[in-house]
mmCIF file of all heavy atoms in Angstrom:
data_model
loop_
_atom_site.group_PDB
_atom_site.id
_atom_site.type_symbol
_atom_site.label_atom_id
_atom_site.label_comp_id
_atom_site.label_asym_id
_atom_site.label_seq_id
_atom_site.Cartn_x
_atom_site.Cartn_y
_atom_site.Cartn_z
ATOM 1 N N GLU A 227 -8.187 -0.834 25.199
ATOM 2 C CA GLU A 227 -8.914 -1.555 26.248
ATOM 3 C C GLU A 227 -10.321 -1.018 26.461
ATOM 4 O O GLU A 227 -11.258 -1.781 26.718
ATOM 5 C CB GLU A 227 -8.123 -1.500 27.560
ATOM 6 C CG GLU A 227 -6.851 -2.337 27.544
ATOM 7 C CD GLU A 227 -6.183 -2.358 28.901
ATOM 8 O OE1 GLU A 227 -6.789 -1.842 29.862
ATOM 9 O OE2 GLU A 227 -5.059 -2.887 29.008
ATOM 10 N N ASP A 228 -10.482 0.288 26.360
ATOM 11 C CA ASP A 228 -11.798 0.900 26.589
ATOM 12 C C ASP A 228 -12.487 1.257 25.276
ATOM 13 O O ASP A 228 -13.362 2.127 25.231
ATOM 14 C CB ASP A 228 -11.665 2.146 27.452
ATOM 15 C CG ASP A 228 -10.753 3.199 26.830
ATOM 16 O OD1 ASP A 228 -10.036 2.870 25.854
ATOM 17 O OD2 ASP A 228 -10.757 4.345 27.300
ATOM 18 N N ALA A 229 -12.096 0.591 24.198
ATOM 19 C CA ALA A 229 -12.618 0.943 22.876
ATOM 20 C C ALA A 229 -14.119 0.695 22.772
ATOM 21 O O ALA A 229 -14.664 -0.213 23.397
ATOM 22 C CB ALA A 229 -11.881 0.157 21.797
ATOM 23 N N ALA A 230 -14.753 1.518 21.946
ATOM 24 C CA ALA A 230 -16.166 1.338 21.611
ATOM 25 C C ALA A 230 -16.259 0.697 20.231
ATOM 26 O O ALA A 230 -15.431 0.946 19.359
ATOM 27 C CB ALA A 230 -16.886 2.682 21.614
ATOM 28 N N VAL A 231 -17.275 -0.124 20.037
ATOM 29 C CA VAL A 231 -17.490 -0.801 18.764
ATOM 30 C C VAL A 231 -18.829 -0.349 18.197
ATOM 31 O O VAL A 231 -19.863 -0.463 18.866
ATOM 32 C CB VAL A 231 -17.472 -2.338 18.941
ATOM 33 C CG1 VAL A 231 -17.856 -3.033 17.638
ATOM 34 C CG2 VAL A 231 -16.098 -2.799 19.418
ATOM 35 N N CYS A 232 -18.820 0.180 16.964
ATOM 36 C CA CYS A 232 -20.031 0.648 16.296
ATOM 37 C C CYS A 232 -20.313 -0.258 15.103
ATOM 38 O O CYS A 232 -19.484 -0.354 14.190
ATOM 39 C CB CYS A 232 -19.866 2.087 15.814
ATOM 40 S SG CYS A 232 -19.653 3.289 17.132
ATOM 41 N N LEU A 233 -21.479 -0.884 15.093
ATOM 42 C CA LEU A 233 -21.815 -1.857 14.055
ATOM 43 C C LEU A 233 -23.130 -1.492 13.380
ATOM 44 O O LEU A 233 -24.028 -0.926 14.006
ATOM 45 C CB LEU A 233 -21.926 -3.260 14.654
ATOM 46 C CG LEU A 233 -20.701 -3.799 15.399
ATOM 47 C CD1 LEU A 233 -21.008 -5.172 15.988
ATOM 48 C CD2 LEU A 233 -19.491 -3.854 14.478
ATOM 49 N N ASN A 234 -23.228 -1.874 12.125
ATOM 50 C CA ASN A 234 -24.427 -1.655 11.334
ATOM 51 C C ASN A 234 -25.527 -2.616 11.792
ATOM 52 O O ASN A 234 -25.456 -3.819 11.541
ATOM 53 C CB ASN A 234 -24.085 -1.871 9.852
ATOM 54 C CG ASN A 234 -25.280 -1.735 8.940
ATOM 55 O OD1 ASN A 234 -26.402 -1.487 9.375
ATOM 56 N ND2 ASN A 234 -25.035 -1.899 7.649
ATOM 57 N N GLY A 235 -26.542 -2.089 12.437
ATOM 58 C CA GLY A 235 -27.617 -2.915 12.944
ATOM 59 C C GLY A 235 -28.563 -3.417 11.879
ATOM 60 O O GLY A 235 -29.461 -4.217 12.166
ATOM 61 N N GLU A 236 -28.384 -2.991 10.623
ATOM 62 C CA GLU A 236 -29.193 -3.492 9.516
ATOM 63 C C GLU A 236 -28.581 -4.749 8.900
ATOM 64 O O GLU A 236 -29.246 -5.444 8.133
ATOM 65 C CB GLU A 236 -29.308 -2.412 8.427
ATOM 66 C CG GLU A 236 -29.841 -1.078 8.891
ATOM 67 C CD GLU A 236 -31.310 -1.127 9.246
ATOM 68 O OE1 GLU A 236 -32.054 -1.835 8.549
ATOM 69 O OE2 GLU A 236 -31.712 -0.450 10.220
ATOM 70 N N ASP A 237 -27.316 -5.018 9.217
ATOM 71 C CA ASP A 237 -26.597 -6.139 8.615
ATOM 72 C C ASP A 237 -26.783 -7.394 9.466
ATOM 73 O O ASP A 237 -26.511 -7.388 10.674
ATOM 74 C CB ASP A 237 -25.100 -5.786 8.510
ATOM 75 C CG ASP A 237 -24.311 -6.834 7.769
ATOM 76 O OD1 ASP A 237 -24.036 -7.904 8.369
ATOM 77 O OD2 ASP A 237 -23.944 -6.608 6.607
ATOM 78 N N ASP A 238 -27.244 -8.484 8.844
ATOM 79 C CA ASP A 238 -27.561 -9.685 9.619
ATOM 80 C C ASP A 238 -26.348 -10.283 10.317
ATOM 81 O O ASP A 238 -26.449 -10.768 11.453
ATOM 82 C CB ASP A 238 -28.219 -10.738 8.719
ATOM 83 C CG ASP A 238 -27.326 -11.156 7.560
ATOM 84 O OD1 ASP A 238 -26.582 -10.309 7.032
ATOM 85 O OD2 ASP A 238 -27.389 -12.338 7.164
ATOM 86 N N LYS A 239 -25.191 -10.243 9.685
ATOM 87 C CA LYS A 239 -23.985 -10.805 10.293
ATOM 88 C C LYS A 239 -23.514 -9.952 11.479
ATOM 89 O O LYS A 239 -23.140 -10.477 12.538
ATOM 90 C CB LYS A 239 -22.862 -10.905 9.263
ATOM 91 C CG LYS A 239 -23.155 -11.835 8.085
ATOM 92 C CD LYS A 239 -23.255 -13.282 8.524
ATOM 93 C CE LYS A 239 -23.464 -14.204 7.341
ATOM 94 N NZ LYS A 239 -23.630 -15.621 7.743
ATOM 95 N N LEU A 240 -23.540 -8.652 11.327
ATOM 96 C CA LEU A 240 -23.075 -7.762 12.391
ATOM 97 C C LEU A 240 -24.090 -7.691 13.527
ATOM 98 O O LEU A 240 -23.712 -7.594 14.704
ATOM 99 C CB LEU A 240 -22.809 -6.360 11.823
ATOM 100 C CG LEU A 240 -21.684 -6.279 10.784
ATOM 101 C CD1 LEU A 240 -21.589 -4.868 10.216
ATOM 102 C CD2 LEU A 240 -20.350 -6.694 11.389
ATOM 103 N N ARG A 241 -25.364 -7.736 13.190
ATOM 104 C CA ARG A 241 -26.414 -7.646 14.211
ATOM 105 C C ARG A 241 -26.336 -8.804 15.196
ATOM 106 O O ARG A 241 -26.796 -8.699 16.338
ATOM 107 C CB ARG A 241 -27.770 -7.617 13.510
ATOM 108 C CG ARG A 241 -28.933 -7.206 14.385
ATOM 109 C CD ARG A 241 -30.159 -6.907 13.547
ATOM 110 N NE ARG A 241 -30.611 -8.050 12.770
ATOM 111 C CZ ARG A 241 -30.671 -8.086 11.447
ATOM 112 N NH1 ARG A 241 -30.297 -7.029 10.737
ATOM 113 N NH2 ARG A 241 -31.117 -9.155 10.814
ATOM 114 N N ALA A 242 -25.746 -9.916 14.760
ATOM 115 C CA ALA A 242 -25.670 -11.102 15.616
ATOM 116 C C ALA A 242 -24.526 -11.033 16.623
ATOM 117 O O ALA A 242 -24.411 -11.910 17.488
ATOM 118 C CB ALA A 242 -25.497 -12.348 14.742
ATOM 119 N N ILE A 243 -23.674 -9.999 16.559
ATOM 120 C CA ILE A 243 -22.563 -9.866 17.506
ATOM 121 C C ILE A 243 -23.090 -9.286 18.816
ATOM 122 O O ILE A 243 -23.492 -8.120 18.883
ATOM 123 C CB ILE A 243 -21.451 -8.970 16.934
ATOM 124 C CG1 ILE A 243 -20.881 -9.597 15.656
ATOM 125 C CG2 ILE A 243 -20.344 -8.755 17.960
ATOM 126 C CD1 ILE A 243 -19.834 -8.748 14.956
ATOM 127 N N ALA A 244 -23.094 -10.088 19.854
ATOM 128 C CA ALA A 244 -23.658 -9.658 21.142
ATOM 129 C C ALA A 244 -22.652 -8.877 21.972
ATOM 130 O O ALA A 244 -23.032 -7.967 22.725
ATOM 131 C CB ALA A 244 -24.150 -10.873 21.932
ATOM 132 N N GLN A 245 -21.385 -9.230 21.870
ATOM 133 C CA GLN A 245 -20.351 -8.514 22.622
ATOM 134 C C GLN A 245 -18.997 -8.713 21.971
ATOM 135 O O GLN A 245 -18.763 -9.672 21.244
ATOM 136 C CB GLN A 245 -20.317 -8.954 24.084
ATOM 137 C CG GLN A 245 -20.051 -10.428 24.312
ATOM 138 C CD GLN A 245 -19.973 -10.754 25.790
ATOM 139 O OE1 GLN A 245 -18.964 -11.274 26.271
ATOM 140 N NE2 GLN A 245 -21.040 -10.459 26.525
ATOM 141 N N VAL A 246 -18.126 -7.753 22.253
ATOM 142 C CA VAL A 246 -16.743 -7.807 21.778
ATOM 143 C C VAL A 246 -15.840 -7.594 22.979
ATOM 144 O O VAL A 246 -15.885 -6.542 23.615
ATOM 145 C CB VAL A 246 -16.459 -6.727 20.711
ATOM 146 C CG1 VAL A 246 -14.989 -6.783 20.275
ATOM 147 C CG2 VAL A 246 -17.375 -6.905 19.509
#
Side-chain angles (χ1 to χ4, degrees):
E227 289 186 7
D228 59 347
V231 174
C232 296
L233 303 177
N234 177 359
E236 305 290 323
D237 186 284
D238 60 325
K239 297 293 183 183
L240 296 175
R241 194 167 60 242
I243 298 176
Q245 59 177 238
V246 178

